[in-house]
Amino acid sequence: MLPLDLLRARRRRGTIRPLYASEDKLGLARTLISVFKAHVDGKRGELREALSRCEELGYNYKLVRGIAAVLEDRCIFQTLAYIDPTEARHAVFEETGGRVVATEQDRRRVLAAAAFRLGVSTEDLDASLYADLWDEQVLTDFDPPTPQELLKEYNFALTLALITQARRIELTYRGRDEELELVGESLGRCRVHEAGGFSKLTIERLQSSRAGQHASELEALLYRLVFRKGWRLSAEVAYRSRKGKRYLFELSEDSHGRLVTPSKPRRTRTPSAPARHKPTDPSPNEIVIVDELASHLGITEDEARRRLKRGGRRYIELGDVFITPEKLRELEEALTSAPDMRLPTVVGTLRSLGCRSPLPVLEALGYAVEWAEDRSRSKVYRLGRRRTTP
Amino acid sequence: MIVLRFNRGSIVARGGPIPHSRYDAKTGTYRAQALHYWEILEHLERGGVDYRDEALDAIPCPGLSSDIRLRDYQKRALDAWRAAGRRGVVVLPTGAGKTIVALKAMEEIEAATLVVVPTLVLVDQWRSRLEEAFGVEVGVVRGGKHLLRGLTVATYASASLRADRLGNRFRLLIFDEVHHLPAPSYRRIGLMYLAPCRLGLTATLEREDGAHLALLELVGDKVYEMGVDDLAGVHLADYTIQTVSIPLSEEEKAEYEAQYAIYRGFLRRRGVRMRSLQDFRRFVMRSGRDPEARRALLARNRAMDIALNSETKIDYLKRLLLENPEEKVIIFTQHNSLVYRISEEMLIPAITHQTPQEERAEILQRFRSSRYRRIITSRVLDEGVDVPDASMAVILSGTGSSREFIQRLGRVLRKQERKQAKLVELVSRGTTETRLSRRRKEN
């Protein structure tokens, strides 16, 4: 999803409409795709520099950054180092001790001594020292879209960013779609009305201090909707409105539908990138967070626990989280084989397995998050045994 | 009889009106913000109104006793807070023992207390400090963790998100680094908790956006303040501040002037004046829709980068460190890129927001034990981290914020025998950085 500060929308007479990229932006799309292609095997920092130069091409910088953010979702960045960078730094700083390294000769001497202790070459040690920094990571794989596909994906991302701010969403589509309804239920109070071969799904989103939450559920909802026949979306959006004023946002297959509908379903996500579309549908009953269930049903947490224990399904109780044994095995295997333990990767992995609230689940499974200022750089650590309640 | 209840951050009164409330015709009740709880009780008591208080449901708190001894100014701070009705903000410099004042306040009140802090590192620090002082189990509310105890530590983010559920569980709120509280998403902590007793702690109260004025309502007035100069030499180390003006290299100067000319040219052509922070914000907003303004903004940023991260500063830093090999030095910069450049070039351990938690703890531990004599950092050590004592701080670059300056200065002020702390500030001559340097020292 696009960060909210990259959302471009126009408000007018009580309505709101994202500023979609049309075909006149194909040139920009082509340029940005070629920038990404040119930086395969290059460092993220260099890519970032090149992208910031693209902001001077005369386009709105939010448009440039937004399209670049969509392309970044098609990238795999990896840390390439000869030895573990943390270990490299530890050895080098230990070797430096209290002395002042002011010349290149001093530096070479210290590196050589540390490299000797580690059993690597000085050059390899030098190259590994800060290889784990965000800007030093290498773009190892990029799956380029066509410029047309890119603009549609960008428009899809803009729409999604806007509806994260929606308080009420109404979807209309031909026929019934139980999976769509299931996703709708995870977003708030949901009701379905059928008439004339069409279904109308109305979602009253729960008031929350975290207006942007449930982004992945909304993404699943929108993604599923735009592939239905005769679809229409209407939402009341409270975007940048201090007094809570709601703006009407409307979108349908006939109006701007062609602009936002991706031409084909996206390929399955690569494991090291955060999940963008749910490869599997959410299975809310396999993982239950007790306090979420309690607040959803308006009952106490104790009562929620009792109901879960009385229910027909077999759960393993991990503190405040109830998980079916099969799902638990699936989650643990997925976490063990995750390619890296950056928070977006882990959250993406859990979400792709139908876990709507990854953080309490991670904690229950015995993991902790080390938060970084930039959330996407936070890391997940295994603390020990999972919290099983006897 | 009036019955008071807590409902999702509000006080709901049934049976009669209460101050600061609005009548809710649907439920037939009066509703007031939790913030006004103590005033409401006072009003009901004073008026002899028959009422029942079911709003506060404070967590039981174990007996608290410690062997903490207050210094004279800490005692005065606590007295002032008590005299102000156990509400208000205490402003003391870094290293002057604000935490001690808070511990003594908790001991005095001996009731459910929530300590609200800005970072996870501070959650751990406060937790160990409380356990050490009182020997009791301390609760934590952060991220996915939710353990409530008589003494509980929470991050601002978690305390804010759970305000509707936790708002009636504490009698005392301690806000560490209270200048964060007026931020739009944290303000609700002040509004939605009942806690009649509130203590804010900070080294630097004023915010550039003026939002600190909201603290009067959320926590109370500033009840006590001592500056660095009041305590230097007695409770804090004596210190000197040296500002070194360093010329840019010829190439840097040419590039700086070329970039700055683009920015200045734009302002002149469009008749834009930069007289305040507001003017600059308007300019940044304009750059979102005006490509020429965007180019001007980027040119200004590049010019600032040159001034803040100049080669000549790095050369001077090397000389400075060679001349002071025995000093324990913390080097501060504005940008992470400079942190890593110097760290790689001079092999100085670096701490930024990207540094893993374990590595950060290890670096600080080794700096504490003097195994490492220098560390370099950007802004993550400015506040909220228990940084080991240093004798010299070098500011390679920074903002115009006096809070940032005072906090960086505070890192070298812990008292030690015969210690003369030094703060050296490097400023690129003939650039706008000189103005930044003046601004941050104005207060």
Side-chain angles (χ1 to χ4, degrees):
Chain A
M1 193 192 97
L2 284 186
L4 212 53
D5 57 359
L6 295 184
L7 173 60
R8 301 174 68 225
R10 180 164 294 152
R11 284 172 288 187
R12 199 174 169 202
R13 292 184 190 154
T15 63
I16 190 164
R17 181 171 71 80
L19 294 176
Y20 290 125
S22 53
E23 295 214 330
D24 61 337
K25 303 294 184 308
L26 279 173
L28 174 64
R30 257 183 229 112
T31 305
L32 292 175
I33 292 168
S34 62
V35 169
F36 273 80
K37 276 183 183 168
H39 283 82
V40 172
D41 295 330
K43 290 181 180 175
R44 190 198 288 262
E46 291 158 359
L47 171 65
R48 221 157 45 99
E49 282 275 308
L51 290 172
S52 74
R53 283 195 293 275
C54 293
E55 288 175 26
E56 293 172 61
L57 295 175
Y59 295 97
N60 184 296
Y61 79 97
K62 286 188 182 178
L63 174 73
V64 179
R65 287 188 192 177
I67 297 178
V70 171
L71 282 172
E72 206 162 310
D73 272 356
R74 291 171 163 267
C75 294
I76 295 175
F77 292 97
Q78 286 183 326
T79 294
L80 300 183
Y82 299 94
I83 58 167
D84 175 17
T86 316
E87 200 186 326
R89 289 193 289 271
H90 177 83
V92 169
F93 298 143
E94 274 292 298
E95 190 62 42
T96 310
R99 78 184 98 160
V100 178
V101 176
T103 64
E104 183 54 27
Q105 289 92 316
D106 292 346
R107 185 174 185 276
R108 299 297 302 173
R109 264 197 297 277
V110 172
L111 285 178
F116 178 75
R117 277 202 296 141
L118 290 170
V120 294
S121 74
T122 310
E123 289 69 30
D124 289 352
L125 176 64
D126 201 359
S128 303
L129 206 54
Y130 278 117
D132 55 344
L133 288 185
W134 188 248
D135 276 350
E136 294 295 311
Q137 288 177 341
V138 175
L139 173 56
T140 53
D141 187 23
F142 172 56
D143 171 29
T146 65
Q148 288 81 359
E149 280 172 347
L150 175 58
L151 292 187
K152 283 185 174 180
E153 285 184 18
Y154 169 72
N155 291 337
F156 182 90
L158 265 188
T159 311
L160 178 63
L162 186 63
I163 64 168
T164 58
Q165 305 299 298
R167 297 285 177 264
R168 184 173 189 276
I169 302 173
E170 203 174 273
L171 310 177
T172 312
Y173 46 89
R174 200 184 290 278
R176 282 288 301 262
D177 186 334
E178 286 184 4
E179 280 158 12
L180 200 56
E181 290 163 22
L182 196 64
V183 182
E185 275 169 21
S186 67
L187 287 163
R189 276 193 300 276
C190 181
R191 55 175 197 276
V192 189
H193 173 72
E194 277 184 86
F198 278 82
S199 301
K200 186 187 274 185
L201 180 67
T202 308
I203 303 161
E204 300 281 351
R205 293 189 65 196
L206 297 172
Q207 287 287 345
S208 161
S209 51
R210 286 172 289 180
Q213 71 176 341
H214 296 141
S216 59
E217 286 85 347
L218 284 166
E219 186 166 17
L221 187 85
L222 187 60
Y223 195 73
R224 202 163 175 93
L225 175 74
V226 296
F227 285 104
R228 302 286 313 179
K229 288 259 185 298
W231 66 268
R232 182 179 183 81
L233 181 151
S234 166
E236 288 173 14
V237 177
Y239 170 59
R240 287 194 178 164
S241 165
R242 283 190 186 162
K243 291 179 182 165
K245 182 177 176 186
R246 296 184 185 190
Y247 296 89
L248 181 66
F249 167 53
E250 285 186 313
L251 190 68
S252 69
E253 191 178 11
D254 307 326
S255 60
H256 289 85
R258 272 178 298 115
L259 279 176
V260 301
T261 311
S263 45
K264 58 177 181 190
R266 290 276 301 275
R267 69 172 185 174
T268 309
R269 300 291 307 161
T270 46
S272 67
R276 186 170 168 72
H277 301 295
K278 283 173 180 293
T280 57
D281 291 319
S283 312
N285 295 329
E286 290 182 329
I287 306 168
V288 183
I289 315 289
V290 175
D291 68 340
E292 281 181 8
L293 178 69
S295 73
H296 185 65
L297 299 176
I299 55 178
T300 64
E301 290 183 17
D302 283 347
E303 176 58 23
R305 275 175 202 283
R306 273 194 292 276
R307 287 194 193 181
L308 283 166
K309 286 176 185 167
R310 273 202 309 262
R313 198 152 202 170
R314 194 177 148 239
Y315 286 108
I316 293 177
E317 188 181 348
L318 306 175
D320 291 331
V321 180
F322 281 61
I323 309 185
T324 60
E326 304 75 31
K327 187 51 91 178
L328 178 61
R329 213 167 19 250
E330 201 180 342
L331 292 181
E332 288 191 325
E333 273 167 20
L335 286 172
T336 316
S337 57
D340 68 72
M341 294 305 274
R342 285 186 307 113
L343 184 64
T345 312
V346 173
V347 165
T349 307
L350 292 182
R351 287 220 162 113
S352 71
L353 295 171
C355 173
R356 289 203 309 259
S357 307
L359 292 182
V361 173
L362 271 177
E363 195 196 352
L365 293 174
Y367 290 81
V369 180
E370 180 199 287
W371 292 101
E373 197 177 1
D374 177 349
R375 189 185 161 101
S376 62
R377 297 178 198 183
S378 304
K379 285 182 180 168
V380 176
Y381 291 99
R382 176 96 208 220
L383 283 180
R385 289 175 64 78
R386 63 176 189 242
R387 293 168 43 189
T388 310
T389 305
Chain B
M1 179 197 274
I2 295 177
V3 180
L4 303 178
R5 291 208 175 94
F6 178 80
N7 180 262
R8 302 176 71 87
S10 302
I11 299 167
V12 176
R14 198 174 283 280
I18 52 172
H20 302 287
S21 67
R22 273 191 185 174
Y23 183 65
D24 180 352
K26 267 191 205 162
T27 56
T29 56
Y30 291 84
R31 195 173 270 269
Q33 278 185 322
L35 164 78
H36 300 298
Y37 176 67
W38 67 284
E39 287 172 84
I40 293 167
L41 287 191
E42 211 172 71
H43 171 86
L44 296 174
E45 288 285 346
R46 228 184 10 241
V49 180
D50 188 18
Y51 76 96
R52 193 167 70 237
D53 179 11
E54 294 177 3
L56 190 67
D57 176 22
I59 301 164
C61 181
L64 303 176
S65 72
S66 71
D67 48 10
I68 293 167
R69 295 269 172 279
L70 295 180
R71 291 174 179 169
D72 52 350
Y73 64 90
Q74 290 167 330
K75 191 169 176 313
R76 283 199 300 274
L78 193 63
D79 290 344
W81 178 71
R82 196 183 303 116
R86 295 192 167 120
R87 293 172 75 89
V89 177
V90 169
V91 183
L92 288 174
T94 308
K98 290 186 285 291
T99 313
I100 299 288
V101 178
L103 293 176
K104 214 62 189 170
M106 289 181 210
E107 194 178 326
E108 185 175 309
I109 291 194
E110 221 173 49
T113 301
L114 181 68
V115 181
V116 192
V117 301
T119 63
L120 292 177
V121 178
L122 272 178
V123 170
D124 293 335
Q125 280 175 24
W126 267 94
R127 193 181 186 184
S128 5
R129 200 67 206 273
L130 291 170
E131 281 172 351
E132 193 184 303
F134 300 124
V136 297
E137 190 191 6
V138 175
V140 174
V141 179
R142 66 174 218 201
K145 208 159 194 167
H146 188 175
L147 175 71
L148 289 182
R149 291 290 178 269
L151 301 183
T152 299
V153 187
T155 57
Y156 275 91
S158 295
S160 168
L161 280 171
R162 295 167 194 247
D164 53 350
R165 278 182 280 169
L166 298 183
N168 64 336
R169 309 304 311 273
F170 301 97
R171 197 174 283 277
L172 169 64
L173 289 180
I174 306 264
F175 296 103
D176 195 10
E177 311 287 1
V178 70
H179 48 269
H180 290 283
L181 184 63
S185 51
Y186 297 155
R187 198 175 283 225
R188 47 193 255 128
I189 307 172
L191 298 172
M192 293 172 67
Y193 281 69
L194 294 173
C197 307
R198 297 169 180 218
L199 171 62
L201 304 170
T202 181
T204 45
L205 185 60
E206 279 78 22
R207 289 168 58 112
E208 292 199 353
D209 59 4
H212 56 276
L213 298 174
L215 289 175
L216 180 63
E217 185 195 19
L218 301 173
V219 184
D221 214 345
K222 178 165 73 182
V223 293
Y224 190 79
E225 179 171 17
M226 276 224 140
V228 172
D229 289 336
D230 302 320
L231 296 174
V234 187
H235 297 291
L236 296 177
D238 262 326
Y239 69 95
T240 57
I241 297 177
Q242 186 190 359
T243 301
V244 184
S245 178
I246 298 173
L248 296 174
S249 69
E250 285 304 315
E251 303 82 63
E252 283 173 338
K253 193 163 189 288
E255 182 61 14
Y256 174 83
E257 281 174 358
Q259 295 295 338
Y260 212 71
I262 297 173
Y263 169 63
R264 263 201 315 258
F266 172 82
L267 298 186
R268 207 174 34 245
R269 273 195 310 282
R270 301 288 183 91
V272 179
R273 287 190 160 194
M274 287 292 165
R275 282 166 303 196
S276 64
L277 201 61
Q278 280 303 325
D279 288 339
F280 187 69
R281 280 188 188 141
R282 268 195 291 273
F283 167 59
V284 172
M285 281 168 73
R286 182 178 187 164
S287 74
R289 53 180 192 276
D290 177 349
E292 208 188 330
R294 180 84 192 147
R295 267 195 295 278
L297 177 67
L298 293 176
R300 177 206 167 269
N301 292 349
R302 274 194 288 268
M304 285 307 291
D305 279 353
I306 294 166
L308 296 178
N309 308 325
S310 80
E311 284 289 336
T312 43
K313 279 188 183 177
I314 299 175
D315 293 340
Y316 188 90
L317 174 70
K318 286 178 183 169
R319 280 209 304 280
L320 189 68
L321 296 183
L322 283 170
E323 285 162 12
N324 296 278
E326 292 309 314
E327 301 284 4
K328 279 179 78 176
V329 187
I330 303 182
I331 303 157
F332 293 99
T333 74
Q334 169 73 358
H335 298 132
N336 286 337
S337 54
L338 186 60
V339 170
Y340 286 116
R341 199 182 137 193
I342 291 175
S343 176
E344 280 204 83
E345 202 172 315
M346 301 177 68
L347 305 181
I348 295 174
I351 295 180
T352 70
H353 68 278
Q354 291 195 57
T355 312
Q357 187 67 37
E358 278 173 24
E359 189 180 353
R360 179 192 293 204
E362 185 193 282
I363 291 173
L364 290 176
Q365 174 51 39
R366 280 162 195 268
F367 187 63
R368 185 173 287 118
S369 68
S370 299
R371 177 87 188 98
Y372 297 159
R373 299 202 68 83
R374 287 158 282 276
I375 52 176
I376 182 160
T377 181
S378 48
R379 282 171 292 175
V380 286
L381 299 188
D382 281 356
E383 66 168 40
V385 184
D386 188 11
V387 178
D389 186 37
S391 55
M392 183 190 246
V394 180
I395 299 180
L396 276 183
S397 52
T399 63
S401 155
S402 43
R403 174 188 308 140
E404 180 189 272
F405 183 75
I406 291 170
Q407 278 163 337
R408 288 177 168 186
L409 173 63
R411 295 307 181 195
V412 292
L413 288 182
R414 262 180 236 281
K415 180 85 177 149
Q416 269 178 10
E417 215 163 307
R418 289 195 300 276
K419 177 176 164 183
Q420 175 75 35
K422 288 180 215 160
L423 185 142
V424 183
E425 181 195 25
L426 309 188
V427 179
S428 291
R429 188 185 302 159
T431 69
T432 47
E433 196 188 10
T434 52
R435 221 166 30 215
L436 284 182
S437 159
R438 253 200 321 272
R439 230 174 64 204
R440 62 184 168 233
K441 285 180 293 193
E442 264 169 11
N443 296 324

